[in-house]
Amino acid sequence: MLGYLMYRSGHAPRRMAALALVGGPLIVASGTAILFGVFEAGSAWQMIATIPEFFWELSLGVWLIVKGFNPSAAILSGPDETDLNERDKEGDKRILSKA
């Protein structure tokens, strides 16, 4: 889920987020294969299936420490039109008028 959100929002590089989009389903598939006895837990196949997810989590942690989120991403570029003080005053007026 995090990989999909990072991929769509552009907060992190898309190539890096693509690792999560590949790694997540691979981990689910390997876990399901273990449950159905296709291969043993801790086998080489399970290790191979976890490689993309491992590099996704490692690279995301390093990216956030070094660079942080991409501030020019579309989700962050819109102006903040919410004036919280004004909204609170309107809410107080509605509460007082009901009393």
Coordinates of all heavy atoms in Angstrom, one line a residue:
M1 N 0.8 -1.2 0.0 CA 0.0 0.0 0.0 C 0.9 1.3 0.0 O 0.6 2.2 -0.7 CB -0.9 0.0 1.2 CG -1.9 1.1 1.3 SD -3.0 1.0 -0.1 CE -4.5 1.2 0.8
L2 N 1.9 1.3 0.8 CA 2.8 2.4 0.9 C 3.5 2.6 -0.5 O 3.6 3.7 -0.9 CB 3.8 2.3 2.0 CG 4.8 3.4 2.1 CD1 4.1 4.7 2.5 CD2 5.9 3.1 3.2
G3 N 3.9 1.5 -1.1 CA 4.6 1.6 -2.4 C 3.7 2.2 -3.4 O 4.1 3.0 -4.2
Y4 N 2.4 1.8 -3.4 CA 1.5 2.3 -4.4 C 1.2 3.8 -4.2 O 1.2 4.6 -5.1 CB 0.1 1.6 -4.3 CG -1.0 2.2 -5.1 CD1 -1.0 2.0 -6.5 CD2 -2.0 2.9 -4.6 CE1 -1.9 2.5 -7.3 CE2 -3.0 3.5 -5.3 CZ -3.0 3.3 -6.7 OH -3.9 3.8 -7.5
L5 N 1.1 4.2 -2.9 CA 0.9 5.6 -2.6 C 2.1 6.5 -3.0 O 2.0 7.6 -3.5 CB 0.5 5.8 -1.1 CG -0.8 5.2 -0.7 CD1 -1.0 5.3 0.8 CD2 -1.9 6.0 -1.4
M6 N 3.3 6.0 -2.7 CA 4.5 6.7 -3.1 C 4.7 6.8 -4.6 O 5.1 7.8 -5.1 CB 5.8 6.0 -2.5 CG 5.9 6.1 -1.0 SD 6.2 7.8 -0.6 CE 6.1 7.7 1.2
Y7 N 4.3 5.7 -5.3 CA 4.4 5.7 -6.7 C 3.4 6.7 -7.3 O 3.8 7.5 -8.2 CB 4.0 4.3 -7.3 CG 4.2 4.2 -8.8 CD1 5.5 3.9 -9.3 CD2 3.1 4.3 -9.6 CE1 5.6 3.8 -10.7 CE2 3.3 4.2 -11.0 CZ 4.5 3.9 -11.5 OH 4.7 3.8 -12.9
R8 N 2.2 6.7 -6.9 CA 1.2 7.6 -7.4 C 1.4 9.1 -7.0 O 1.2 10.0 -7.8 CB -0.2 7.2 -6.9 CG -0.7 5.9 -7.4 CD -1.1 6.0 -8.8 NE -2.3 6.8 -8.9 CZ -2.8 7.2 -10.1 NH1 -2.3 6.8 -11.2 NH2 -3.9 8.0 -10.1
S9 N 1.9 9.3 -5.8 CA 2.0 10.7 -5.4 C 3.3 11.4 -5.9 O 3.4 12.6 -6.0 CB 2.0 10.8 -3.9 OG 3.1 10.2 -3.3
G10 N 4.3 10.6 -6.2 CA 5.6 11.1 -6.6 C 6.5 11.6 -5.5 O 7.4 12.4 -5.7
H11 N 6.1 11.3 -4.2 CA 7.0 11.7 -3.1 C 8.3 11.1 -3.1 O 9.3 11.6 -2.5 CB 6.3 11.4 -1.8 CG 5.1 12.3 -1.5 ND1 5.2 13.6 -1.4 CD2 3.8 12.0 -1.1 CE1 4.1 14.2 -1.1 NE2 3.2 13.2 -1.0
A12 N 8.4 9.9 -3.7 CA 9.7 9.2 -3.8 C 9.9 8.9 -5.3 O 8.9 8.9 -6.0 CB 9.7 8.0 -2.9
P13 N 11.1 8.6 -5.7 CA 11.3 8.2 -7.1 C 10.5 7.0 -7.5 O 10.4 6.1 -6.8 CB 12.8 7.9 -7.1 CG 13.4 8.6 -6.0 CD 12.4 8.6 -4.9
R14 N 9.9 7.1 -8.7 CA 9.0 6.0 -9.2 C 9.8 4.7 -9.3 O 9.2 3.7 -9.1 CB 8.4 6.5 -10.5 CG 7.3 7.5 -10.2 CD 6.5 7.8 -11.4 NE 5.6 8.8 -11.1 CZ 4.3 8.6 -11.2 NH1 3.8 7.5 -11.5 NH2 3.4 9.6 -10.8
R15 N 11.0 4.7 -9.8 CA 11.7 3.4 -9.9 C 11.9 2.8 -8.6 O 11.8 1.5 -8.5 CB 13.1 3.7 -10.5 CG 13.0 4.0 -12.0 CD 14.3 4.2 -12.6 NE 14.3 4.6 -14.0 CZ 15.3 4.8 -14.7 NH1 16.5 4.7 -14.3 NH2 15.1 5.2 -16.0
M16 N 12.1 3.6 -7.5 CA 12.3 3.0 -6.2 C 10.9 2.5 -5.7 O 10.9 1.4 -5.1 CB 12.8 4.1 -5.3 CG 13.2 3.6 -3.9 SD 14.0 4.8 -3.0 CE 12.7 5.9 -2.6
A17 N 9.8 3.2 -5.9 CA 8.5 2.7 -5.5 C 8.1 1.5 -6.3 O 7.3 0.7 -5.8 CB 7.5 3.8 -5.6
A18 N 8.6 1.3 -7.5 CA 8.2 0.1 -8.3 C 8.8 -1.1 -7.6 O 8.2 -2.2 -7.8 CB 8.8 0.3 -9.7
L19 N 9.8 -1.0 -6.9 CA 10.3 -2.2 -6.1 C 9.3 -2.7 -5.2 O 9.1 -3.9 -5.0 CB 11.6 -1.8 -5.4 CG 12.9 -1.7 -6.1 CD1 14.0 -1.2 -5.2 CD2 13.3 -3.0 -6.8
A20 N 8.5 -1.8 -4.5 CA 7.5 -2.2 -3.6 C 6.3 -2.8 -4.4 O 5.7 -3.8 -3.9 CB 7.0 -1.0 -2.8
L21 N 6.0 -2.3 -5.6 CA 4.9 -2.8 -6.3 C 5.2 -4.2 -6.8 O 4.3 -5.0 -7.1 CB 4.6 -1.9 -7.5 CG 4.1 -0.5 -7.1 CD1 3.9 0.3 -8.4 CD2 2.9 -0.6 -6.3
V22 N 6.5 -4.6 -7.0 CA 6.9 -5.9 -7.4 C 7.1 -6.8 -6.1 O 6.7 -7.9 -6.1 CB 8.2 -5.9 -8.2 CG1 8.8 -7.2 -8.5 CG2 8.0 -5.2 -9.5
G23 N 7.8 -6.2 -5.1 CA 8.1 -7.0 -4.0 C 7.0 -7.4 -3.1 O 7.0 -8.6 -2.6
G24 N 6.0 -6.6 -2.9 CA 4.8 -6.9 -2.1 C 4.1 -8.2 -2.6 O 3.9 -9.1 -1.8
P25 N 3.7 -8.2 -3.9 CA 3.0 -9.4 -4.4 C 3.9 -10.7 -4.3 O 3.4 -11.8 -4.1 CB 2.7 -9.1 -5.8 CG 2.5 -7.6 -5.8 CD 3.6 -7.1 -4.8
L26 N 5.2 -10.5 -4.5 CA 6.1 -11.6 -4.4 C 6.2 -12.2 -3.0 O 6.2 -13.4 -2.9 CB 7.6 -11.2 -4.9 CG 7.8 -11.2 -6.4 CD1 9.2 -10.7 -6.6 CD2 7.6 -12.5 -7.0
I27 N 6.1 -11.4 -2.0 CA 6.1 -11.9 -0.7 C 4.8 -12.6 -0.4 O 4.8 -13.6 0.3 CB 6.4 -10.7 0.3 CG1 7.9 -10.4 0.3 CG2 6.0 -11.1 1.8 CD1 8.3 -9.3 1.2
V28 N 3.7 -12.0 -0.8 CA 2.4 -12.7 -0.6 C 2.4 -14.0 -1.3 O 1.9 -15.0 -0.8 CB 1.3 -11.8 -1.1 CG1 0.0 -12.5 -1.2 CG2 1.2 -10.5 -0.3
A29 N 2.9 -14.1 -2.6 CA 2.9 -15.3 -3.3 C 3.8 -16.4 -2.6 O 3.5 -17.5 -2.5 CB 3.4 -15.1 -4.7
S30 N 5.0 -15.9 -2.1 CA 5.9 -16.9 -1.4 C 5.3 -17.4 -0.1 O 5.4 -18.6 0.2 CB 7.3 -16.3 -1.2 OG 7.2 -15.3 -0.2
G31 N 4.6 -16.5 0.6 CA 3.9 -16.9 1.8 C 2.8 -17.9 1.5 O 2.6 -18.9 2.3
T32 N 2.1 -17.7 0.5 CA 1.0 -18.6 0.1 C 1.6 -19.9 -0.4 O 1.1 -21.0 0.0 CB 0.2 -18.0 -1.1 OG1 -0.3 -16.7 -0.6 CG2 -1.0 -18.9 -1.4
A33 N 2.7 -19.9 -1.1 CA 3.3 -21.1 -1.5 C 3.8 -21.9 -0.3 O 3.8 -23.2 -0.3 CB 4.5 -20.8 -2.5
I34 N 4.3 -21.3 0.7 CA 4.8 -22.0 1.9 C 3.6 -22.6 2.6 O 3.7 -23.8 3.0 CB 5.5 -21.0 2.8 CG1 6.9 -20.6 2.2 CG2 5.7 -21.6 4.2 CD1 7.6 -19.5 2.9
L35 N 2.4 -21.9 2.7 CA 1.3 -22.5 3.3 C 0.7 -23.7 2.6 O 0.3 -24.6 3.2 CB 0.1 -21.4 3.4 CG 0.3 -20.3 4.4 CD1 -0.8 -19.2 4.2 CD2 0.4 -20.8 5.8
F36 N 0.9 -23.7 1.3 CA 0.4 -24.9 0.5 C 1.5 -25.9 0.3 O 1.2 -26.9 -0.5 CB -0.2 -24.4 -0.8 CG -1.6 -23.8 -0.6 CD1 -1.7 -22.4 -0.8 CD2 -2.7 -24.5 -0.3 CE1 -2.9 -21.8 -0.7 CE2 -3.9 -23.9 -0.1 CZ -4.0 -22.5 -0.3
G37 N 2.6 -25.8 0.9 CA 3.7 -26.8 0.8 C 4.4 -26.8 -0.5 O 5.1 -27.8 -0.8
V38 N 4.4 -25.8 -1.3 CA 5.1 -25.7 -2.6 C 6.6 -25.7 -2.3 O 7.4 -26.4 -3.0 CB 4.7 -24.5 -3.4 CG1 5.5 -24.4 -4.7 CG2 3.2 -24.6 -3.7
F39 N 7.0 -25.0 -1.3 CA 8.4 -25.0 -0.8 C 8.5 -24.7 0.6 O 7.5 -24.2 1.2 CB 9.4 -24.1 -1.7 CG 8.9 -22.7 -1.8 CD1 9.1 -21.7 -0.8 CD2 8.3 -22.3 -3.0 CE1 8.7 -20.4 -1.0 CE2 7.9 -20.9 -3.2 CZ 8.1 -20.0 -2.2
E40 N 9.6 -25.0 1.2 CA 9.8 -24.8 2.7 C 10.0 -23.4 3.1 O 10.6 -22.6 2.3 CB 11.0 -25.7 3.2 CG 10.7 -27.2 3.0 CD 9.7 -27.7 3.9 OE1 9.6 -27.3 5.1 OE2 8.9 -28.5 3.4
A41 N 9.6 -23.1 4.3 CA 9.9 -21.7 4.9 C 11.4 -21.6 5.0 O 12.1 -22.5 5.5 CB 9.2 -21.6 6.2
G42 N 12.0 -20.4 4.6 CA 13.4 -20.2 4.7 C 14.2 -20.7 3.6 O 15.4 -20.7 3.6
S43 N 13.5 -21.2 2.5 CA 14.2 -21.8 1.4 C 14.8 -20.7 0.5 O 14.5 -19.5 0.7 CB 13.2 -22.7 0.6 OG 12.3 -21.9 0.0
A44 N 15.5 -21.1 -0.5 CA 16.1 -20.1 -1.4 C 15.1 -19.4 -2.2 O 15.2 -18.2 -2.4 CB 17.1 -20.8 -2.3
W45 N 13.9 -20.0 -2.5 CA 12.9 -19.4 -3.2 C 12.2 -18.2 -2.4 O 11.9 -17.2 -3.0 CB 11.8 -20.4 -3.7 CG 12.3 -21.3 -4.7 CD1 12.6 -22.7 -4.5 CD2 12.7 -21.0 -6.0 NE1 13.0 -23.2 -5.7 CE2 13.1 -22.2 -6.6 CE3 12.7 -19.8 -6.8 CZ2 13.6 -22.3 -7.9 CZ3 13.2 -19.9 -8.1 CH2 13.6 -21.1 -8.7
Q46 N 12.1 -18.5 -1.1 CA 11.5 -17.4 -0.3 C 12.5 -16.3 -0.2 O 12.1 -15.1 -0.2 CB 11.2 -18.0 1.1 CG 10.5 -16.9 2.0 CD 10.2 -17.4 3.4 OE1 10.8 -18.4 3.8 NE2 9.4 -16.7 4.1
M47 N 13.8 -16.6 -0.1 CA 14.8 -15.5 0.0 C 14.8 -14.7 -1.3 O 14.9 -13.4 -1.2 CB 16.2 -16.1 0.3 CG 16.3 -16.9 1.5 SD 16.3 -15.9 2.9 CE 16.5 -17.1 4.2
I48 N 14.7 -15.3 -2.4 CA 14.7 -14.6 -3.7 C 13.5 -13.7 -3.8 O 13.6 -12.6 -4.3 CB 14.8 -15.6 -4.8 CG1 16.2 -16.3 -4.9 CG2 14.5 -14.9 -6.2 CD1 16.3 -17.5 -5.8
A49 N 12.4 -14.2 -3.3 CA 11.1 -13.4 -3.4 C 11.2 -12.2 -2.5 O 10.4 -11.2 -2.7 CB 9.9 -14.3 -3.0
T50 N 12.0 -12.2 -1.5 CA 12.0 -11.0 -0.5 C 13.0 -10.0 -1.0 O 13.1 -8.9 -0.4 CB 12.3 -11.5 0.9 OG1 13.6 -12.1 0.9 CG2 11.3 -12.4 1.5
I51 N 13.9 -10.3 -2.0 CA 14.9 -9.3 -2.4 C 14.4 -8.0 -2.8 O 14.8 -6.9 -2.3 CB 15.8 -9.9 -3.4 CG1 16.7 -11.0 -2.8 CG2 16.7 -8.9 -4.1 CD1 17.5 -11.8 -3.8
P52 N 13.3 -7.9 -3.7 CA 12.8 -6.6 -4.1 C 12.3 -5.8 -2.9 O 12.5 -4.6 -2.8 CB 11.7 -6.8 -5.1 CG 12.0 -8.2 -5.6 CD 12.7 -8.9 -4.5
E53 N 11.6 -6.5 -2.0 CA 11.0 -5.8 -0.8 C 12.1 -5.3 0.1 O 12.0 -4.2 0.7 CB 10.0 -6.7 -0.1 CG 9.3 -6.0 1.0 CD 8.2 -5.1 0.5 OE1 7.8 -5.2 -0.6 OE2 7.8 -4.2 1.3
F54 N 13.1 -6.1 0.3 CA 14.3 -5.7 1.1 C 14.9 -4.4 0.6 O 15.1 -3.4 1.3 CB 15.3 -6.8 1.1 CG 16.6 -6.4 1.8 CD1 16.7 -6.3 3.1 CD2 17.7 -6.1 1.0 CE1 17.9 -5.9 3.7 CE2 18.9 -5.7 1.5 CZ 19.0 -5.6 2.9
F55 N 15.2 -4.3 -0.7 CA 15.8 -3.2 -1.3 C 14.8 -2.0 -1.3 O 15.3 -0.8 -1.2 CB 16.3 -3.5 -2.7 CG 17.6 -4.2 -2.7 CD1 17.7 -5.5 -3.1 CD2 18.8 -3.6 -2.2 CE1 18.9 -6.2 -3.1 CE2 19.9 -4.3 -2.1 CZ 20.0 -5.6 -2.6
W56 N 13.5 -2.2 -1.4 CA 12.5 -1.1 -1.3 C 12.6 -0.5 0.0 O 12.7 0.8 0.2 CB 11.1 -1.6 -1.6 CG 10.0 -0.9 -1.0 CD1 9.2 -1.3 0.0 CD2 9.6 0.5 -1.2 NE1 8.3 -0.3 0.4 CE2 8.6 0.8 -0.4 CE3 10.1 1.5 -2.1 CZ2 7.9 2.0 -0.3 CZ3 9.4 2.7 -2.1 CH2 8.4 3.0 -1.2
E57 N 12.6 -1.3 1.1 CA 12.6 -0.7 2.4 C 13.9 0.0 2.7 O 13.9 1.0 3.4 CB 12.2 -1.8 3.4 CG 10.8 -2.3 3.3 CD 10.4 -3.3 4.3 OE1 11.1 -3.5 5.3 OE2 9.3 -3.9 4.2
L58 N 15.0 -0.6 2.3 CA 16.3 -0.1 2.5 C 16.4 1.3 1.8 O 16.8 2.3 2.4 CB 17.4 -1.0 2.1 CG 18.8 -0.5 2.2 CD1 19.2 -0.5 3.7 CD2 19.7 -1.4 1.5
S59 N 16.0 1.3 0.5 CA 16.2 2.5 -0.2 C 15.2 3.6 0.2 O 15.6 4.8 0.2 CB 16.0 2.2 -1.7 OG 14.7 1.8 -2.0
L60 N 14.0 3.3 0.6 CA 13.1 4.3 1.1 C 13.6 4.9 2.4 O 13.6 6.1 2.6 CB 11.7 3.7 1.4 CG 10.7 4.7 1.9 CD1 10.4 5.7 0.9 CD2 9.4 4.0 2.4
G61 N 14.2 4.1 3.3 CA 14.7 4.7 4.5 C 15.9 5.6 4.3 O 16.0 6.7 4.8
V62 N 16.8 5.2 3.4 CA 18.0 6.0 3.0 C 17.5 7.3 2.3 O 18.0 8.4 2.6 CB 19.0 5.2 2.2 CG1 20.1 6.1 1.6 CG2 19.6 4.1 3.0
W63 N 16.6 7.1 1.4 CA 16.0 8.3 0.6 C 15.4 9.3 1.6 O 15.7 10.5 1.4 CB 15.0 7.8 -0.4 CG 14.4 8.9 -1.1 CD1 13.2 9.6 -0.9 CD2 14.9 9.6 -2.3 NE1 13.0 10.6 -1.8 CE2 14.0 10.6 -2.6 CE3 16.1 9.4 -3.0 CZ2 14.3 11.4 -3.7 CZ3 16.3 10.3 -4.1 CH2 15.4 11.3 -4.4
L64 N 14.6 8.9 2.5 CA 14.0 9.8 3.4 C 15.0 10.5 4.4 O 14.8 11.7 4.7 CB 12.9 9.1 4.2 CG 11.7 8.7 3.4 CD1 10.7 7.9 4.2 CD2 11.0 9.9 2.7
I65 N 16.0 9.8 4.8 CA 17.0 10.4 5.6 C 17.8 11.4 4.8 O 18.1 12.5 5.3 CB 17.9 9.3 6.2 CG1 17.2 8.5 7.3 CG2 19.2 10.0 6.8 CD1 17.9 7.3 7.7
V66 N 18.2 11.1 3.6 CA 19.1 12.0 2.8 C 18.3 13.1 2.2 O 18.7 14.3 2.3 CB 19.9 11.1 1.8 CG1 20.6 12.0 0.9 CG2 20.7 10.1 2.5
K67 N 17.2 12.8 1.5 CA 16.5 13.8 0.6 C 15.2 14.2 1.2 O 14.8 15.3 1.0 CB 16.2 13.2 -0.7 CG 17.4 12.9 -1.6 CD 17.8 14.2 -2.3 CE 18.6 13.9 -3.5 NZ 18.7 15.0 -4.4
G68 N 14.5 13.4 1.9 CA 13.1 13.7 2.4 C 12.1 13.5 1.2 O 12.4 13.1 0.1
F69 N 10.9 13.9 1.5 CA 9.9 13.8 0.5 C 10.1 14.9 -0.6 O 10.8 15.9 -0.4 CB 8.5 14.1 1.0 CG 7.9 13.0 1.8 CD1 7.5 13.1 3.1 CD2 7.7 11.8 1.2 CE1 6.9 12.1 3.8 CE2 7.1 10.7 1.8 CZ 6.7 10.9 3.1
N70 N 9.6 14.6 -1.8 CA 9.7 15.5 -2.9 C 8.7 16.7 -2.7 O 7.5 16.4 -2.9 CB 9.4 14.8 -4.2 CG 9.5 15.6 -5.4 OD1 9.8 16.8 -5.4 ND2 9.2 15.1 -6.6
P71 N 9.1 17.9 -2.4 CA 8.2 18.9 -2.1 C 7.4 19.4 -3.3 O 6.4 20.1 -3.2 CB 9.0 20.0 -1.5 CG 10.4 19.8 -2.0 CD 10.5 18.3 -2.2
S72 N 7.9 19.1 -4.5 CA 7.2 19.6 -5.7 C 6.2 18.6 -6.2 O 5.7 18.8 -7.3 CB 8.2 19.9 -6.8 OG 8.9 18.7 -7.2
A73 N 5.9 17.6 -5.4 CA 4.9 16.6 -5.8 C 3.5 17.3 -5.9 O 3.2 18.2 -5.2 CB 4.8 15.4 -4.8
A74 N 2.7 16.8 -6.8 CA 1.4 17.4 -7.1 C 0.5 17.5 -5.9 O -0.2 18.5 -5.7 CB 0.7 16.7 -8.2
I75 N 0.6 16.6 -5.0 CA -0.3 16.6 -3.9 C 0.1 17.7 -2.9 O -0.8 18.2 -2.1 CB -0.3 15.2 -3.2 CG1 -1.4 15.0 -2.2 CG2 1.0 15.0 -2.4 CD1 -1.7 13.6 -1.8
L76 N 1.3 18.1 -2.9 CA 1.7 19.2 -2.0 C 1.8 20.6 -2.6 O 2.0 21.6 -2.0 CB 3.1 18.9 -1.5 CG 3.3 17.6 -0.6 CD1 4.7 17.4 -0.3 CD2 2.4 17.7 0.6
S77 N 1.6 20.6 -4.0 CA 1.8 21.9 -4.6 C 0.6 22.8 -4.6 O 0.7 24.0 -4.8 CB 2.1 21.7 -6.1 OG 1.1 21.0 -6.8
G78 N -0.6 22.3 -4.2 CA -1.8 23.1 -4.2 C -1.8 24.0 -3.0 O -1.2 23.7 -1.9
P79 N -2.4 25.2 -3.1 CA -2.4 26.2 -1.9 C -3.4 25.6 -0.8 O -4.3 25.0 -1.1 CB -3.0 27.4 -2.5 CG -3.8 27.0 -3.7 CD -3.1 25.8 -4.2
D80 N -3.0 25.9 0.4 CA -3.9 25.5 1.5 C -4.9 26.6 1.7 O -4.7 27.7 2.1 CB -3.0 25.4 2.8 CG -3.8 24.9 4.0 OD1 -4.9 24.4 3.7 OD2 -3.3 25.1 5.1
E81 N -6.2 26.2 1.4 CA -7.3 27.2 1.4 C -8.1 27.1 2.7 O -9.1 27.7 2.9 CB -8.2 26.9 0.2 CG -7.5 27.1 -1.1 CD -8.4 26.8 -2.3 OE1 -9.5 26.5 -2.1 OE2 -7.8 26.9 -3.4
T82 N -7.6 26.3 3.6 CA -8.4 26.1 4.9 C -7.8 27.1 5.9 O -6.7 27.1 6.3 CB -8.2 24.7 5.4 OG1 -8.6 23.8 4.4 CG2 -9.0 24.4 6.6
D83 N -8.7 27.9 6.4 CA -8.3 28.8 7.5 C -9.0 28.2 8.8 O -10.2 28.4 9.0 CB -8.8 30.2 7.2 CG -8.4 31.2 8.3 OD1 -7.6 30.8 9.2 OD2 -8.8 32.4 8.2
L84 N -8.2 27.6 9.6 CA -8.7 26.9 10.7 C -9.3 27.8 11.7 O -10.3 27.5 12.3 CB -7.6 26.0 11.4 CG -7.0 25.0 10.5 CD1 -5.9 24.2 11.2 CD2 -8.0 24.0 10.0
N85 N -8.8 29.0 11.9 CA -9.3 29.9 12.9 C -10.7 30.4 12.5 O -11.7 30.4 13.3 CB -8.4 31.1 13.1 CG -7.1 30.8 13.8 OD1 -7.1 29.8 14.6 ND2 -6.1 31.5 13.4
E86 N -10.9 30.6 11.2 CA -12.2 31.1 10.7 C -13.2 30.0 10.8 O -14.4 30.2 11.2 CB -12.0 31.5 9.2 CG -13.3 32.2 8.7 CD -13.0 32.7 7.3 OE1 -12.0 33.4 7.1 OE2 -13.8 32.4 6.4
R87 N -12.8 28.7 10.5 CA -13.7 27.6 10.6 C -14.1 27.3 12.0 O -15.3 27.1 12.3 CB -13.0 26.3 10.0 CG -14.0 25.2 9.9 CD -13.3 24.0 9.3 NE -12.3 23.5 10.2 CZ -11.4 22.6 9.8 NH1 -11.4 22.1 8.6 NH2 -10.5 22.1 10.7
D88 N -13.2 27.5 13.0 CA -13.5 27.3 14.4 C -14.5 28.4 14.9 O -15.4 28.1 15.6 CB -12.2 27.4 15.3 CG -11.4 26.1 15.1 OD1 -11.9 25.1 14.6 OD2 -10.2 26.2 15.4
K89 N -14.3 29.6 14.4 CA -15.3 30.7 14.8 C -16.7 30.4 14.3 O -17.6 30.6 15.0 CB -14.8 32.0 14.3 CG -13.5 32.5 15.0 CD -13.0 33.8 14.4 CE -11.7 34.3 15.0 NZ -11.2 35.4 14.3
E90 N -16.8 29.9 13.0 CA -18.1 29.6 12.5 C -18.7 28.4 13.3 O -19.9 28.4 13.5 CB -17.9 29.2 11.0 CG -17.6 30.4 10.1 CD -17.4 30.0 8.7 OE1 -17.7 28.8 8.3 OE2 -16.9 30.8 7.9
G91 N -17.9 27.5 13.6 CA -18.4 26.4 14.4 C -18.9 26.8 15.8 O -20.0 26.4 16.3
D92 N -18.2 27.7 16.4 CA -18.6 28.3 17.7 C -19.9 29.0 17.6 O -20.8 28.9 18.5 CB -17.5 29.2 18.3 CG -16.3 28.4 18.7 OD1 -16.3 27.2 18.9 OD2 -15.2 29.1 18.8
K93 N -20.1 29.8 16.5 CA -21.3 30.5 16.3 C -22.5 29.6 16.2 O -23.6 29.8 16.7 CB -21.2 31.4 15.0 CG -20.3 32.6 15.2 CD -20.2 33.4 13.9 CE -19.2 34.5 14.0 NZ -19.0 35.2 12.7
R94 N -22.3 28.5 15.4 CA -23.4 27.5 15.3 C -23.8 26.9 16.6 O -24.9 26.6 16.9 CB -23.0 26.4 14.3 CG -23.2 26.9 12.9 CD -23.0 25.8 11.9 NE -21.8 26.2 11.0 CZ -20.8 25.5 10.7 NH1 -20.8 24.2 11.1 NH2 -19.9 25.9 9.9
I95 N -22.8 26.6 17.4 CA -23.0 25.9 18.7 C -23.7 26.9 19.6 O -24.7 26.5 20.3 CB -21.7 25.5 19.4 CG1 -21.1 24.3 18.5 CG2 -21.9 25.0 20.8 CD1 -19.7 23.9 19.0
L96 N -23.3 28.2 19.7 CA -23.9 29.2 20.5 C -25.4 29.5 20.1 O -26.2 29.7 20.9 CB -23.1 30.4 20.6 CG -21.8 30.3 21.3 CD1 -21.0 31.6 21.1 CD2 -21.9 30.0 22.7
S97 N -25.6 29.5 18.8 CA -27.0 29.8 18.3 C -28.0 28.6 18.6 O -29.1 28.9 18.7 CB -26.9 30.0 16.8 OG -26.6 28.9 16.1
K98 N -27.5 27.4 18.7 CA -28.4 26.3 19.1 C -28.7 26.3 20.6 O -29.7 25.7 21.0 CB -27.7 25.0 18.7 CG -27.6 24.7 17.2 CD -27.0 23.4 16.9 CE -26.9 23.2 15.4 NZ -26.2 21.9 15.1
A99 N -27.9 26.9 21.4 CA -28.1 26.9 22.8 C -29.1 27.8 23.3 O -29.8 28.5 22.8 CB -26.8 27.2 23.5

